[in-house]
Amino acid sequence: MKTSYWIAIAVVALIAGVLVGYGVWGPQAARVPEVEAQVASVQAQVEQLKKKVAEMEANLGRVTNEKLNLEKQAEELKDALEKATKKRR
């Protein structure tokens, strides 16, 4: 009985110590301002990269469309040239 009594007191004291410590220092104690500044900087860089990637994808889409249009025009010009040469014969 005495052993379980002391174990219960130790557990209660540990829990009370953790709760008091958290109440005094709170979640801010685990954060280091320098690390937070670096994380914010990296997050900003990631956002910039995401924007640049989106812009590049949009540009790639435009370039692809222009290429397809030019290929279509080239085929049309070849067809027109063939028709023109056939008419001359």
Side-chain angles (χ1 to χ4, degrees):
M1 169 103 178
K2 286 187 177 185
T3 306
S4 62
Y5 175 75
W6 288 110
I7 291 173
I9 287 178
V11 169
V12 169
L14 179 66
I15 293 172
V18 168
L19 291 175
V20 168
Y22 185 77
V24 171
W25 292 288
Q28 296 297 329
R31 295 187 179 173
V32 178
E34 296 164 357
V35 173
E36 286 183 351
Q38 290 177 351
V39 168
S41 172
V42 169
Q43 286 175 340
Q45 290 175 357
V46 167
E47 289 300 319
Q48 289 176 351
L49 287 174
K50 284 182 181 179
K51 288 179 185 177
K52 288 181 181 179
V53 166
E55 289 174 7
M56 289 177 70
E57 287 175 347
N59 286 340
L60 179 63
R62 279 187 236 123
V63 168
T64 303
N65 286 339
E66 288 175 10
K67 180 183 178 217
L68 292 174
N69 288 338
L70 288 173
E71 289 174 353
K72 184 179 176 183
Q73 288 175 356
E75 286 296 320
E76 290 172 355
L77 288 173
K78 284 180 186 178
D79 291 342
L81 181 62
E82 287 177 9
K83 287 180 184 177
T85 55
K86 284 181 183 179
K87 286 183 182 179
R88 288 186 182 177
R89 290 183 188 173

